[in-house]
Each structure stands twice: as C-alpha cells, then as structure tokens.
Amino acid sequence: LHYYSLAEVPPELLMISGDTALSEFEARACLVARFGEDLRPRDCRQMAAAGMYLVRSLLGTEVDLLDPGSPSRLAEALCDRLDEEKLPVEEPLNMVILLGCLFGEMVRNRVKLESSWMALRQIELWPAVVFSRKKATGSDSIVFSPMDHLRGLVGSRDRDALRRAIEELKTVCG
C-alpha cells in the first residue's frame, strides 16, 4: 500500500506513532518516504518538497531552497521541537529522509558546482548529492550525504550543525 497524500493521516499510523507534532511529522513522512524503500535519486526533489511543507505546517518554520538562513532555521526548529517532545521512535527514519532531501536541495543551491542526486549503494544506503569539480588535471567528485547530517542533528541537537556542514563542504569544494 502506497499512500501519497499530505491529507489526513490514517489512524493506524497515528496509533503507532503517538499524538505529538514530531509523531505526526513522522507519520506523515512515512506516507511519502515509505521507510526509504526503493528510494531513488529522482524521488529526492519530491521528498524535499514534502519536507518543506511539513516543516512549515508542523514545526511552524518557513524555509526555502534559496535562502542562506534556511538550514539554520530548519536546525533550530527541529532542535526546539526535540527539546520539547520525546521522539516517537528511537530514530525517526522517515523524517530524516524528508529533511535530508530538503537539506540536500538547500546544499545544492549553496555550493556552486554541478551536482546531482545519485544512488551509491556500495557506500550509502540512500541517495547522496554528488558534486563534480573540474580541475586542470581532470575532474573529481565529492559525495555529500545530507541524510547522515540530519541523523547527526537528531542525535546531537547541535543547532549549528547544518550551517557548519555547508561551510565545510564549500571549503572542500573550493
């Protein structure tokens, strides 16, 4: 069963996850991310759009892909909510997927290199952003896993983590 909607969450999912905003976020994210099952690179923009909607509607924070302050606002809103509520599950996988895709799209707009979402199953469970850098001696690629950064944020509650990740990536990318 694949339920693609941001409408009313089926009661069975809410029963599993609870009645807090984070619980509702995870339940709604599950409808789109489906625990990452068969997640393809071409799905990441849709996941980012759903994540942006849920951040606004459930966390009460406006973010967009072009605003340099959005990653910090995303981290602040998520950490504030994590400080207020108990997580519905140990690792909110669906929330991490949607917010990881959202963060990945934010990063792609901030780093001025050609980039794309790619499946790198040998090193990453989910799609990652791959930046291509041209050099005088050829080219190389830099792999960035936004989902790992979101998992780290959920675990650490470090409100500055996403901003630092972008700055470090920009330094590496030159």
Side-chain angles (χ1 to χ4, degrees):
L1 172 67
H2 295 286
Y3 184 84
Y4 294 99
S5 175
L6 291 176
E8 190 71 25
V9 176
E12 297 80 13
L13 281 177
L14 286 177
M15 210 168 58
I16 294 168
S17 61
D19 62 354
T20 65
L22 287 176
S23 297
E24 185 174 352
F25 197 119
E26 178 64 11
R28 286 182 182 274
C30 178
L31 301 175
V32 181
R34 304 173 316 276
F35 299 100
E37 180 185 330
D38 197 30
L39 180 60
R40 297 168 302 240
R42 70 175 185 237
D43 299 331
C44 292
R45 286 191 174 149
Q46 176 190 4
M47 301 291 158
M52 188 180 306
Y53 172 81
L54 291 174
V55 167
R56 186 182 70 238
S57 64
L58 296 176
L59 301 183
T61 300
E62 292 286 333
V63 295
D64 69 57
L65 302 180
L66 301 177
D67 179 1
S70 284
S72 293
R73 283 196 307 278
L74 171 62
E76 287 283 332
L78 185 56
C79 289
D80 287 350
R81 191 59 67 141
L82 287 167
D83 288 346
E84 293 171 17
E85 300 176 9
K86 184 177 180 337
L87 277 172
V89 291
E90 183 145 332
E91 180 155 336
L93 179 61
N94 297 293
M95 180 174 71
V96 164
I97 291 169
L98 291 192
L99 295 182
C101 288
L102 175 58
F103 181 51
E105 287 297 317
M106 289 174 180
V107 169
R108 290 182 70 198
N109 282 295
R110 296 282 310 280
V111 176
K112 302 303 180 206
L113 290 176
E114 189 175 315
S115 65
S116 61
W117 287 95
M118 295 182 79
L120 305 168
R121 298 268 184 231
Q122 64 275 23
I123 58 172
E124 286 292 323
L125 183 58
W126 301 300
V129 177
V130 178
F131 294 92
S132 300
R133 183 169 53 176
K134 307 268 190 267
K135 292 183 168 184
T137 58
S139 65
D140 66 349
S141 298
I142 299 161
V143 176
F144 181 80
S145 176
M147 277 72 150
D148 285 346
H149 285 280
L150 258 297
R151 289 176 74 199
L153 176 64
V154 168
S156 72
R157 313 278 202 285
D158 179 354
R159 289 167 163 72
D160 204 33
L162 301 184
R163 184 200 59 76
R164 272 196 326 273
I166 291 174
E167 293 308 315
E168 289 169 13
L169 179 63
K170 288 168 78 174
T171 300
V172 168
C173 289

